[in-house]
Amino acid sequence: MNVFVLNCGSSSVKFQIINTDLELFEADGDKMIAKGLIEKVGTKEAIINLQAGGGEPFKAVEPVEDHRAAIMRIKAWMEEPTTKIEGVHGWDDLHAIGHRVVHGAERFTKAVRIDKEVLAKIEECCDLAPLHNPANLKGIYACYEIFGERIPQVAVFDTAFHSTMPEDVYLYAVPYDFYSKYQVRRYGFHGTSHRYVAYRYRKLTGKKREDVKIVTLHLGNGSSACAIQAGQSVNTTMGMTPLEGLIMGTRSGDIDAAVVEYLFAKGVGSVTDIFNILNKKSGVAGVSGIGNDMRDIEKGADEGNHRAQLALKMFANRVKKYIGAYMAEMNGCDAVVFTAGIGENGARIRSMICSGLEALGIELDEELNKQTVRGKTGRITKPGSRVEVWVIPTNEELLLARDSVRVIRNVERLW
Ligand code: ADP
């Protein structure tokens, strides 16, 4: 099957076309045959970047009115005779569309085929994720308009993997009514990424799902940690929204909620303004004053910038705290897995996070750690380390494609 995997942001459309099917999963026979990104959608200067297989990328800056126009632009590119996508000459060669949807609330605990009823339910989840779900929905509606029921469409939710968290973990200690009336609870995000690297870890080590306890660390612009036991998420750091937990590029992570009232009283702005600051101007960007890119912050730290040094330390310490918490919660673990931009490349930050965890059984091999960057997979602890540490590149698109196939072929779970 050729699966068109779509990840729509408020002003961007990111896609891959992945050739995959059930019988290809075990041997990793799936193949990414095209990918692309259209940014600044809704402007006269949208940035278009499209690539077939390993070919030369097509780049352009053109007006792209909305998400529908972006998808039509991809179609036009696909149908040009100069575009050579293996086995795909036009829309008719696509067999499924897999959409990334951020929030599925309690309504969606796994990927589902999209129909009118599902669409209505995703709409209902917008309340809980006003920054994300409406953008995802734009992509779904655009595809619905273009393809109708002709190509099956599947929604894969970031929250779904965490639906196995127990009640005592997902509830906040606030009046119970807030949960029963308003669905205030922890949902967790990055589920597709945590699930993917947990699966890869089991494949790499040959361990059985039932036997494994791991802590996965998705450290990118947005960051979260997850405790995974017997293949299921038992805890994660993000909460009702992606603001909770680890310190991120621009998000504060855990913070005393009283700060909001205090800043409001000080006239910093409305509650909305303050949450905007906590989401967009805080995190390592806020502390360092340099920006959200860890590479720039590391450079600043090397040049003696105190706030950059502080941002790195605070970032690493928060991750360390949750490794300890999750190991306590699971009564130990077999491995810690790093993934995403910082997790896959930030050797220095990985070293900061893992240093001083010898008492918990983590002994990093500094040389292996330094070498494991730029898409490399590997163990980075010393042979005798009681808890292993791995770096495993994430691939959310691949899991989106596989989940789409599973839904369409009515397979519950293959791994
Ligand atoms: P997103 O969460 O937006 O998907 P990514 O997972 O792509 O983000 O991570 C992007 C981030 O990864 C960058 O902002 C940067 O902080 C970090 N990063 C990328 N390369 C390196 C590197 N070599 N060293 C440290 N951090 C890096």
Side-chain angles (χ1 to χ4, degrees), residues 217-234:
L217 303 170
H218 177 109
L219 310 179
N221 269 324
S223 295
S224 67
C226 184
I228 302 175
Q229 198 161 6
Q232 297 194 328
S233 168
V234 292

Side-chain angles (χ1 to χ4, degrees), residues 14 190 218-223 292-295 298 339-347 349 373-374 394 396:
K14 196 169 154 192
H190 290 144
H218 177 109
L219 310 179
N221 269 324
S223 295
N292 65 334
D293 196 309
M294 277 297 183
R295 288 162 291 197
E298 283 187 21
T339 196
I342 302 168
E344 291 166 32
N345 297 296
I349 293 170
V373 288
R374 284 183 286 283
T394 193
E396 292 163 274

